[in-house]
Amino acid sequence: MRKTVKKLTAVGLTVTSVLGLVACGSSKGTTSQGTSENKEVTKPDTFTVMCDGTVVTETNGAEAFYKQLNEATGLDIKWTRPDHASYYDAVANAFNSDDTMPDVVLLSSDYYALYASNGFLWNMTDAWEHSETKNSGRLISTADNVLSALMVNGEDGTKAMYGLSLYRGNGCCTYVKKAWLDKAGIDASKVKDVQMDFNTYYGYLKQMAQTMGHYVISSPGFIHPEAPNTNYLPEFYQKAQYTFYKDTSGKYVDGFAQQEMKEALQRLQTAVNDGVIDRESVNNSTANARDKFYSTDPSTETGVFTYWAGTWANTLKTNLSNKGLDDELIAIKPIKELGAYTERIAPCWCITSAAKNPEGIFKYFIDKMLDGGDVQMLWTHGAKGTHWDDKAETVTVQKKEDQPKTYTEGQFHYLPGIEKPDQWQTKNHIDPILSIANFTNGYVGESLIPEVARENGEFFAENSQVAVPLPMTSELSNNIGDINTARTYVIAQVALGYMTVDEGMDYYNKTVGSLSNAVLKSLNK
């Protein structure tokens, strides 16, 4: 039986503030097991789904996607589509009451663990074990890595699966412009397919900085607010952990208070002082950092950028070419001290405690997303005739320099964008390079995946490991906002030279040391 949800107050909702709000207004929804093998499951009546802009947007043909999904599944779905930028504010507001809570919600890893531990989400472990997708034989070899990361502590403290990720989380790798290596007199063979140590890597960065006369790296912040937090400057953080983690002894420790973080902070400060890292990184958005990588102004252009793997490898290359810059990029192997890049835990589809027929929603909606056929195609590329087609036709986007493209009957191709008619449509929710399940009869869009994206996606998969989820406790929920504020402040102050490493750690311990200890006590119970 579902329990009553206590109201949450939504004021200034951020990643960290929502954590505290959930703890204060803890919802005690059902976390009962999913459907058993012998239980009859009925198709659900109307149910509600809340998702962000990673699903084709209303302004780019979502209605056509909804219509074809309804035709393929027979489901009557009521969609709630908050603005992408304020999505989690809207989620928190919706979870204030049984009356507004959606039946299905798409959650990032931070919120997934939070809402699961507070009883908002339905335990789908058993439903997944007996699902068609799980037993189809179509799961990719690394699917277990994705799925094991979804095992988190529920309200009763036991590990279970409260959501399903349809694709690998992906992550960031470091790209170096070959043109910059050439200008600095660095042989590219010493960088490509070589696992460097930090001193060697940093020596090359300094050499490029001296040659170009300014910084080499401009990152999106010195730390990222969402997990995996250190992914935009991995070579400088190395083994340092921004948040709490379980050490080799099996006990949780505060990663920020460890020696590894002190050493990382010193590396950041040195790199800023040496002019290797842009001081303005502290204020950079991801768009700012990308713009500097594409810049045609020699005084602001950067030569090294740690950013998303796979599809983005091709996007970076394309944008450099469009700006008239040399587009040859080398994705370097993770340095020895880092060991592996970090793959984030992918966003996942969850069924909430408000759902009246969670078993039916799982079987007829979530499990069908990876059916290996028409429904998976909808989630991968959107609606046929709106986002893509396979009929014989000639199409073009609204750019003078683009030539019409002619396709034969049965040939998969993208169509011009609705929202941006000067661009081609791309994927819908599932990136075909990252999907955890293959199509039954092969992927029809195989020929359209750029070789650069495919090769880089494979490179990242071979050189990464999936992040470890952090269990949620009420102490962590209550205090993580203040703790992370202090962490981010210290990183910025030390990196910019306003504090020494020791001064930064003293500030951290004096400001939130007692809160950190309370969290550790709860995690190590």
Side-chain angles (χ1 to χ4, degrees):
M1 179 181 294
R2 289 171 56 248
K3 301 174 186 178
T4 303
V5 177
K6 296 179 182 178
K7 186 174 182 180
L8 304 179
T9 304
V11 179
L13 298 170
T14 64
V15 171
T16 52
S17 65
V18 173
L19 291 167
L21 293 172
V22 172
C24 295
S26 179
S27 162
K28 304 295 183 181
T30 179
T31 56
S32 60
Q33 281 286 342
T35 179
S36 67
E37 191 171 14
N38 299 317
K39 182 175 180 179
E40 181 182 358
V41 178
T42 59
K43 182 174 282 192
D45 295 326
T46 299
F47 60 97
T48 56
V49 174
M50 176 179 279
C51 60
D52 63 16
T54 61
V55 177
V56 61
T57 60
E58 305 282 359
T59 54
N60 197 37
E63 284 300 327
F65 165 71
Y66 301 155
K67 181 177 183 294
Q68 291 186 21
L69 186 63
N70 168 263
E71 292 168 351
T73 63
L75 297 173
D76 181 13
I77 302 170
K78 306 301 181 187
W79 297 87
T80 301
R81 304 298 305 273
D83 180 70
H84 187 76
S86 56
Y87 178 68
Y88 286 102
D89 291 6
V91 170
N93 281 319
F95 273 59
N96 278 338
S97 158
D98 278 349
D99 295 331
T100 56
M101 189 188 303
D103 298 306
V104 178
V105 63
L106 181 64
L107 295 175
S108 72
S109 60
D110 290 326
Y111 293 96
Y112 168 62
L114 170 68
Y115 285 124
S117 67
N118 282 275
F120 282 101
L121 306 180
W122 180 71
N123 180 347
M124 62 175 64
T125 309
D126 196 50
W128 168 250
E129 287 300 318
H130 297 103
S131 68
E132 290 184 12
T133 300
K134 170 71 162 56
N135 297 286
S136 67
R138 294 182 293 102
L139 294 181
I140 63 172
S141 60
T142 55
D144 283 345
N145 296 336
V146 177
L147 299 167
S148 63
L150 298 174
M151 299 296 289
V152 298
N153 288 343
E155 189 180 21
D156 60 1
T158 58
K159 282 189 177 294
M161 182 174 166
Y162 295 89
L164 177 64
S165 296
L166 308 182
Y167 50 86
R168 288 180 24 236
N170 202 13
C172 295
C173 64
T174 299
Y175 302 95
V176 179
K177 289 178 177 175
K178 183 177 179 297
W180 277 50
L181 294 173
D182 293 342
K183 289 176 182 177
I186 302 167
D187 186 345
S189 67
K190 294 181 179 180
V191 173
K192 187 175 183 180
D193 299 325
V194 176
Q195 189 170 37
M196 297 174 280
D197 59 25
F198 179 75
N199 286 338
T200 300
Y201 174 68
Y202 192 69
Y204 292 152
L205 294 179
K206 287 184 69 175
Q207 198 169 331
M208 286 187 281
Q210 290 164 5
T211 299
M212 305 305 289
H214 66 87
Y215 52 76
V216 182
I217 298 170
S218 193
S219 63
F222 290 125
I223 194 74
H224 190 52
E226 295 182 15
N229 308 88
T230 61
N231 62 335
Y232 290 134
L233 288 167
E235 294 83 12
F236 294 88
Y237 283 101
Q238 298 175 14
K239 298 295 184 183
Q241 299 287 323
Y242 175 78
T243 191
F244 303 96
Y245 73 99
K246 188 178 287 187
D247 67 10
T248 54
S249 71
K251 289 186 63 176
Y252 280 97
V253 296
D254 182 350
F256 198 83
Q258 305 306 303
Q259 179 63 29
E260 290 86 353
M261 181 55 75
K262 293 180 181 180
E263 294 170 359
L265 292 177
Q266 187 59 64
R267 283 190 290 270
L268 287 173
Q269 187 181 82
T270 299
V272 172
N273 287 341
D274 286 347
V276 167
I277 295 179
D278 178 15
R279 292 179 64 86
E280 285 304 310
S281 294
V282 69
N283 296 317
N284 273 352
S285 64
T286 53
N288 294 148
R290 289 197 304 268
D291 287 344
K292 289 185 178 182
F293 196 59
Y294 306 146
S295 177
T296 55
D297 181 350
S299 67
T300 58
E301 181 195 1
T302 56
V304 176
F305 190 32
T306 303
Y307 209 59
W308 297 97
T311 300
W312 266 105
N314 186 66
T315 303
L316 294 175
K317 181 180 177 68
T318 300
N319 287 339
L320 288 170
S321 179
N322 290 342
K323 291 291 186 72
L325 297 169
D326 190 301
D327 65 357
E328 188 169 355
L329 298 176
I330 297 172
I332 65 170
K333 286 180 173 290
I335 63 170
K336 291 178 181 178
E337 293 86 347
L338 177 62
Y341 291 119
T342 300
E343 180 160 22
R344 67 173 178 168
I345 301 171
C348 53
W349 290 93
C350 307
I351 299 172
T352 74
S353 57
K356 294 177 179 158
N357 180 8
E359 296 90 351
I361 292 174
F362 179 88
K363 179 175 181 177
Y364 292 97
F365 178 61
I366 290 180
D367 192 26
K368 294 296 182 185
M369 292 175 172
L370 293 172
D371 72 340
D374 291 344
V375 177
Q376 186 167 337
M377 189 65 179
L378 280 163
W379 285 102
T380 304
H381 287 302
K384 182 177 181 180
T386 299
H387 303 106
W388 65 276
D389 218 321
D390 59 3
K391 68 181 181 181
E393 62 177 337
T394 298
V395 291
T396 186
V397 294
Q398 295 177 8
K399 281 185 178 178
K400 291 181 180 179
E401 64 270 24
D402 275 359
Q403 298 298 314
K405 295 184 179 182
T406 301
Y407 300 95
T408 58
E409 188 68 28
Q411 186 178 7
F412 173 87
H413 54 275
Y414 294 119
L415 297 175
I418 296 172
E419 188 175 20
K420 297 179 179 179
D422 62 335
Q423 298 179 17
W424 295 101
Q425 297 279 7
T426 55
K427 68 176 181 66
N428 182 10
H429 179 65
I430 302 174
D431 186 330
I433 297 176
L434 301 174
S435 176
I436 67 166
N438 296 314
F439 282 89
T440 302
N441 297 314
Y443 173 50
V444 297
E446 195 75 34
S447 64
L448 292 186
I449 296 178
E451 194 59 31
V452 170
R454 184 193 309 283
E455 289 179 355
N456 185 261
E458 293 171 355
F459 164 84
F460 182 79
E462 293 168 0
N463 291 281
S464 64
Q465 58 187 18
V466 180
V468 178
L470 181 66
M472 191 61 60
T473 67
S474 60
E475 289 82 1
L476 181 58
S477 297
N478 280 326
N479 297 312
I480 194 63
D482 290 335
I483 292 172
N484 281 349
T485 296
R487 288 168 174 165
T488 302
Y489 176 77
V490 168
I491 290 172
Q493 294 297 300
V494 173
L496 295 174
Y498 300 133
M499 288 182 179
T500 65
V501 172
D502 288 339
E503 287 170 346
M505 287 303 175
D506 286 344
Y507 174 89
Y508 179 71
N509 290 324
K510 289 176 182 177
T511 305
V512 296
S514 61
L515 303 184
S516 173
N517 290 335
V519 171
L520 288 173
K521 185 176 180 180
S522 71
L523 289 171
N524 286 313
K525 278 183 181 178

